[in-house]
Every structure is written in structure tokens, then in C-alpha cells.
Amino acid sequence: MKKSLIIFTVFLFILSFSSCGARSGKLEEVEVSTPENGASDTELSVFPVTSEMDTSPLSPPVITSEVVNNCGDCALQGSRLYYANSYDNGTLYSMNTDGSDNRKLNDDWTPWFYVSGDRIYYQNGEDGKIYAMNTDGSGQQKLSDDNSGNINVTGDRIYYSNTDDDFTLYSMNTDGSDRKKLNGDNPLYMNVVGDRIYYSGNLSGSKGIYSVKTDGTDRIKLTDDSPYRMTVADGWVYYNNEDDDTKLYAIRTDGSDRHKLTDDSGLNINVVDNRIYYTNGNDNKIYSINTDGSDRKPLSNDTAEWLVVGGSRIYYTITGANIYYMNIDGGDKRLLADLRSGVYKDVTYEISASLRKDMPKYRFTATGMTQGADEWVAGYIMGLEVFDEKGRSLLAADFSQTVLDEVIGNDAYNIMMDTMGLHVTDINFDGYKDVIILNSFGGAHANTWYDGWLWNPETWLFVKAESFTDICNPALDPEKKCIYSTGGSGAGNRGWNIYQFIDGEFKVTNSLSYNEANGDYYFQEQKLVNGEMEIVRDDVIEGGSFDDALSVAGYINDDLWQLDNPRWYGVGGHQADQWLE
């Protein structure tokens, strides 16, 4: 049974609202102009600098520097980087671009946000509504009761998809007033540039990229292509074309000169000084290319979850654990911030036990890391050590591994991290106790798997039992010298196995499985005969409930299976403890 653990991830909801566009330039005070060809960028909100700034919470934004918003999960304005911290429930943070003054701005899960001047406009993932606050986190206020995404801000207007109205295009003032439905279109990806909105989606059965005026009129179809991601910069739309294996394309904002730039799949697109910086969806590495498709360059072997470009630097995260920056040529990579610092707490669990009554007590120590207090948040089991009565090491197992830029261990939820599944028990029924510890705990049924080490009385050493790791939800039966195992992959598919220790390995000696189809239950029973599993029974039980089918098939009162026995536990956690001693 294949082991799996669902590690909660966040931010899947925003995939259908990915306005992944960004344009950057030198971070300095500028005044905006709106060329007729639409050269002003979608993700860039720039206004004339004023000498007297209105700092009231709902005042129109006043921009003092260029703003780069990218994919709704990171933004750069002046010397501040804004990002959703996946190690703090997706809440919003900001820091200086040198890594200093890293601060939390809200307590809301923030799957989408947009920085405009001294205000941040964001989707609150808890209720889906649009909120606003000052860039220091103060002045938080709900602006709309619409469930919204795809938020763009230009001037004193917010443009968004109203999910309460079938993703339809809406706008309102930045103080929440003058809410308007612009038209009946349903944009999936949206960039607002000057006086036009560029977006993609299926409109009345016709896919493609469109633009309309910011009042919702004058719809123009640019292309039939379906973009997975898109951004608008300097009179061009850059997009990932799903109709051509998600390759990176460009088309002018008037719909002319459509062409492929590269065979790369372009994600997190940033356009800076006639050069495109992007994550290549084929390998998730960071690349750059000229806006005419020439001079493609790989910049880093790092993968990138998000990136944003400002000035001469690229800011990015690999897994959300750390934020890095490097020069736009890929050089001088540095760690900007470690977001896991202070998130994880080291934990230790220790027991003393004798392997046999005539042996001294040994000390068994498990180490791990937990995060937060929620019992269903993921933690990691990092190691196991065993010491004899004189303090000498008998076993030292290190489960730590580096995945991308994170050091992790064996996956487990906090609910099991108090003991980490550490048991000193006789798993091969030879009269000597062995040691087991949780290998993983998770999946739809919170199944458990363990690593086990057998005590060798001849060498007085522990030896890893590789085959024990395959046993899902093990329950020991010392009387029959066997191990019961069950686990589920769905409501209509389940299996039961009985293991014995044969020739130095844990082997399945009996197997029972069933499938449900059209209200009938198909049971198949197998048995180990001369080293091979053979079918010994194949039944179909028609209709009724599952429990009735088990009873009719005889598996409830069967001497071998006794499937009503609680040792067949299908949900792991501490329910396993009573069957492991």
C-alpha cells in the first residue's frame, strides 16, 4: 500500500484568478503618462507625487514610487517587499529589500493582494471579501461584500472578478463606493493598463484574450489563444499559450503581430527594460529572454514559487521557507529572510525500557519539530537514538533531508508528535523487544506507517527491518505471532493483510480485498502457498450494506479474519498505541 501524506498547502484557490503580470523599472519617483499604445503597465500603479499626502484610511492612493505587483502573492514598492507568508497561515508581511524590518501586517489569510501607493487592497481568504489597509498594516477596513478575486487597482478604482456573480467583471472606488458591474464578461486573468482592461476567458462560448475600456465598453478580441498566465507591458501582451503546450507568446495590445517567443512555459512574468524574467514551467527554474525572443538565458538552478523583479535584483522564494535575491544576471545570490525561524519548535520524547526481563533498561529518544498548536498541522520527526545503560549509542537514525531549500524529516501531524509513534515492542515475536517509530502519518484515512529496528541478541545491535515499513496501520498479535494491517484509499476500496515474519522478512500470508460496483461487493481472498499468493476465494455479495456483505460472506465471525475486531483500525494516530504493545 503506497504511503502518502497530504501536507496542507495553501493558495490553490487563486489559480483561477491569476493575473500574473508585472512590470518593473528603476525604483524612483515618477509621474505617470498614458501613451496611446497602452505602454503603461497593468501591474504598475503610478500617480503624480504630491507634497501633501492624505493619510486617512480611505483616501485615494498616492504613489511615491513604482509598484510591481506579481501574481497577487508578492509585490515590490520602493524599498519594501510585500508577500504572503505561507509559514504563518498565508498572512501578509513586508520587509525592506535588504531583509530588515520584517513585519506582519494582518491576521487574515491573504491569497491575493495589490499594493497601490500607501494602501494595500486584498482578498480575505476567510470570507472572500475585498479589504484595504495602509501599507504599515493599520486602517484595515472591509470595502465590499462581494466574494472577489483578480484584484487590480488603477487610479482611484478597483477592478475585480465578482465570484458571487459568476466571476463577472466589476469595479468600485478605492473607498468601496460606486460599485458597478462593467459588463457580462467573466475574466480569468486580468491586467488593467491605462484606460483599458486586458483579460482572458470563455466569453459566450468563445475563448481568447480580450480588452475593454475601463467602463466595460468597446470589447476587442485580440486572439483566440487561451493563456494560462498573462501580463501586459509596453504595448504588448505576454502570455503562456495553452493551445501550444503552454509556450510563451507575445501579441500587441491591438491584436497584431502575434508570435511565439520561446518553447519555454512562462510563469511569473516580469518585464524590465525590454527583457522578460520568468519561471520556466517546464523545470520551474528562473530564466530571462529579450522581449523579441532572443538571448534566452538560464539565471539560476533554483526553482521559484514566486518572483518579482525590481531595479537590478530578482526577489524570489523556492518553497516559501526562505526569500532570496540575486542580480538580474543571476549572480550574487543571497538569503534575504528565513521565514521558518521561530515557526518550528523542537520537541523530544524519551522512554526507558528493557528488551527482555533479564536485560538492563535502555534509553530511547525521539526528536522532532512541531509548528503551532493545531493538531492537524504538519510536523517532522527528525531522529531516533538508543543508548545502553552506560550511555553508549546502540542506534542513531537521522531522518532529516533537504528538499529544495527546506530541511525536513518524516512527515507527521502534530496530533502524533507528542510521542512520535515511538514504541519498544516485540514486532518479530522472538522474545526480544524491538524499536519502532513513526515513518509517516497522513492521507485521507490518517494511515500510519512505522520504521522498525530488530534487536539481534547475537551481535547486541539493532538492525533495520526494511519490510516493516510497508505495513500500514500495524496491529500486533503475540499469540498468533502475526501482524494485522488495513488501510483505505476510498470509501469503495479497502484491503486487509496479515503479515508474518518469515526468513528474516515481514511477508503477507493472507490478503482480503473488496471493490464495490453497482451496489454489489466483490471480495477476493488470497493465501501464501509455497512462496506465492494464490486466490482461495472469489465472491460477489449482491446488494445490502457493507457490514451486511461482510457478515453474509462470513468474514465477521471467521476465525482468521474477525473483521469486526477493533484491531483492524482504519484511522491512525494514537488509536494504534493499544495494538503496538
Side-chain angles (χ1 to χ4, degrees):
M1 201 172 289
K2 184 176 178 62
K3 296 178 291 183
S4 64
L5 175 64
I6 299 176
I7 301 298
F8 295 106
T9 253
V10 292
F11 309 130
L12 292 179
F13 179 72
I14 65 171
L15 284 178
S16 63
F17 296 110
S18 267
S19 149
C20 287
R23 181 178 186 273
S24 177
K26 295 181 180 179
L27 300 181
E28 59 187 7
E29 294 187 354
V30 296
E31 289 193 1
V32 75
S33 60
T34 307
E36 292 182 0
N37 65 357
S40 174
D41 177 57
T42 170
E43 300 286 342
L44 186 60
S45 299
V46 185
F47 298 85
V49 178
T50 61
S51 58
E52 296 182 1
M53 296 179 61
D54 181 359
T55 58
S56 62
L58 295 179
S59 62
V62 179
I63 299 296
T64 57
S65 62
E66 279 199 358
V67 185
V68 181
N69 286 273
N70 188 31
C71 291
D73 54 14
C74 60
L76 185 65
Q77 175 172 266
S79 62
R80 299 292 292 183
L81 178 67
Y82 300 83
Y83 64 97
N85 188 345
S86 59
Y87 279 85
D88 190 9
N89 301 312
T91 55
L92 196 58
Y93 278 66
S94 77
M95 70 172 77
N96 289 327
T97 51
D98 63 3
S100 63
D101 191 28
N102 189 28
R103 65 175 72 171
K104 184 175 183 176
L105 301 180
N106 67 4
D107 291 316
D108 302 325
W109 171 33
T110 309
W112 184 282
F113 70 92
Y114 198 104
V115 180
S116 181
D118 61 352
R119 299 285 282 168
I120 302 173
Y121 304 87
Y122 67 95
Q123 178 196 18
N124 185 333
E126 301 300 326
D127 62 12
K129 317 302 185 186
I130 297 179
Y131 286 68
M133 63 182 174
N134 295 325
T135 51
D136 63 1
S138 65
Q140 181 180 342
Q141 189 167 353
K142 184 171 71 172
L143 300 182
S144 170
D145 285 325
D146 294 336
N147 279 281
S148 311
N150 226 351
I151 300 168
N152 280 237
V153 182
T154 295
D156 60 356
R157 298 291 291 181
I158 302 172
Y159 300 86
Y160 62 97
S161 296
N162 185 348
T163 61
D164 287 332
D165 190 13
D166 195 27
F167 298 84
T168 304
L169 184 60
Y170 275 67
S171 76
M172 63 181 171
N173 287 332
T174 51
D175 63 1
S177 65
D178 193 28
R179 169 181 171 275
K180 293 179 179 179
K181 181 175 181 176
L182 298 183
N183 57 26
D185 294 346
N186 318 101
L188 295 179
Y189 316 105
M190 181 170 70
N191 289 180
V192 183
V193 180
D195 63 351
R196 296 197 70 84
I197 307 171
Y198 298 84
Y199 55 93
S200 68
N202 288 304
L203 310 176
S204 301
S206 179
K207 66 178 183 177
I209 301 177
Y210 298 80
S211 79
V212 296
K213 289 183 178 180
T214 50
D215 62 4
T217 64
D218 189 32
R219 182 203 296 164
I220 300 172
K221 186 173 187 178
L222 306 184
T223 176
D224 289 327
D225 294 339
S226 294
Y228 175 59
R229 300 283 178 90
M230 60 178 286
T231 187
V232 183
D234 301 327
W236 288 88
V237 182
Y238 301 94
Y239 61 99
N240 182 308
N241 188 358
E242 286 192 308
D243 294 334
D244 189 13
D245 296 325
T246 69
K247 295 172 184 176
L248 184 59
Y249 273 64
I251 190 172
R252 293 187 185 274
T253 52
D254 62 4
S256 65
D257 198 13
R258 167 190 172 275
H259 60 281
K260 181 175 70 175
L261 296 176
T262 173
D263 288 335
D264 293 343
S265 174
L267 307 175
N268 298 317
I269 301 169
N270 286 233
V271 183
V272 182
D273 296 333
N274 296 316
R275 196 156 181 88
I276 306 169
Y277 299 84
Y278 61 97
T279 303
N280 183 349
N282 298 328
D283 60 13
N284 292 320
K285 307 295 176 62
I286 303 173
Y287 289 73
S288 72
I289 194 171
N290 286 334
T291 51
D292 63 3
S294 64
D295 193 30
R296 170 184 177 272
K297 292 181 179 179
L299 300 181
S300 172
N301 286 325
D302 291 338
T303 63
E305 184 176 293
W306 56 253
L307 67 86
V308 63
V309 182
S312 61
R313 288 180 177 175
I314 302 172
Y315 302 86
Y316 66 99
T317 185
I318 298 175
T319 63
N322 301 302
I323 296 178
Y324 302 87
Y325 74 76
M326 63 181 174
N327 293 336
I328 56 175
D329 63 2
D332 194 29
K333 172 190 170 182
R334 299 187 185 184
L335 175 66
L336 191 65
D338 178 1
L339 303 185
R340 295 191 352 155
S341 177
V343 173
Y344 283 96
K345 177 183 177 182
D346 292 333
V347 293
T348 300
Y349 176 69
E350 186 173 298
I351 57 177
S352 295
S354 298
L355 303 184
R356 204 170 68 172
K357 289 182 179 180
D358 60 349
M359 294 180 64
K361 285 189 174 182
Y362 295 158
R363 181 162 54 92
F364 301 80
T365 303
T367 56
M369 299 188 304
T370 61
Q371 55 172 324
D374 189 332
E375 62 184 20
W376 293 110
V377 172
Y380 297 110
I381 302 168
M382 304 303 293
L384 169 66
E385 289 188 275
V386 181
F387 302 93
D388 67 11
E389 75 280 12
K390 296 183 179 180
R392 294 173 297 195
S393 177
L394 298 175
L395 171 64
D398 181 7
F399 309 131
S400 65
Q401 56 181 311
T402 301
V403 177
L404 299 176
D405 66 338
E406 291 186 89
V407 178
I408 63 174
N410 288 348
D411 300 316
Y413 295 124
N414 280 349
I415 193 175
M416 281 289 285
M417 289 298 293
D418 54 348
T419 67
M420 289 171 271
L422 176 61
H423 293 271
V424 181
T425 185
D426 187 0
I427 61 175
N428 64 344
F429 313 109
D430 66 349
Y432 291 90
K433 290 185 177 181
D434 312 295
V435 59
I436 64 174
I437 193 170
L438 203 61
N439 174 281
S440 66
F441 171 44
H445 294 263
N447 294 325
T448 50
W449 291 266
Y450 295 81
D451 287 328
W453 289 262
L454 304 175
W455 177 253
N456 187 328
E458 296 180 359
T459 62
W460 279 59
L461 293 173
F462 285 100
V463 180
K464 181 72 177 292
E466 301 290 351
S467 55
F468 187 79
T469 307
D470 295 329
I471 305 176
C472 179
N473 295 333
L476 307 180
D477 187 340
E479 293 183 4
K480 294 185 178 181
K481 295 186 176 181
C482 64
I483 301 175
Y484 304 97
S485 169
T486 185
S489 59
N493 190 326
R494 190 174 180 184
W496 301 263
N497 292 312
I498 298 176
Y499 288 79
Q500 292 183 1
F501 192 68
I502 302 173
D503 297 331
E505 292 186 359
F506 293 94
K507 296 182 179 180
V508 177
T509 58
N510 301 85
S511 175
L512 175 64
S513 62
Y514 91 94
N515 282 287
E516 180 183 357
N518 300 320
D520 296 333
Y521 299 89
Y522 297 80
F523 290 95
Q524 185 178 88
E525 184 179 352
Q526 300 183 68
K527 182 179 180 180
L528 185 67
V529 179
N530 297 324
E532 300 291 336
M533 296 298 291
E534 294 184 0
I535 297 175
V536 296
R537 185 176 175 184
D538 208 341
D539 286 337
V540 179
I541 308 299
E542 297 180 357
S545 68
F546 174 63
D547 290 339
D548 290 341
L550 288 179
S551 181
V552 171
Y555 291 118
I556 296 295
N557 299 317
D558 185 83
D559 290 339
L560 176 65
W561 294 105
Q562 299 178 13
L563 291 186
D564 61 342
N565 193 304
R567 69 188 174 203
W568 297 106
Y569 66 94
V571 177
H574 288 304
Q575 299 182 60
D577 291 345
Q578 62 180 310
W579 307 108
L580 293 173
E581 297 294 344

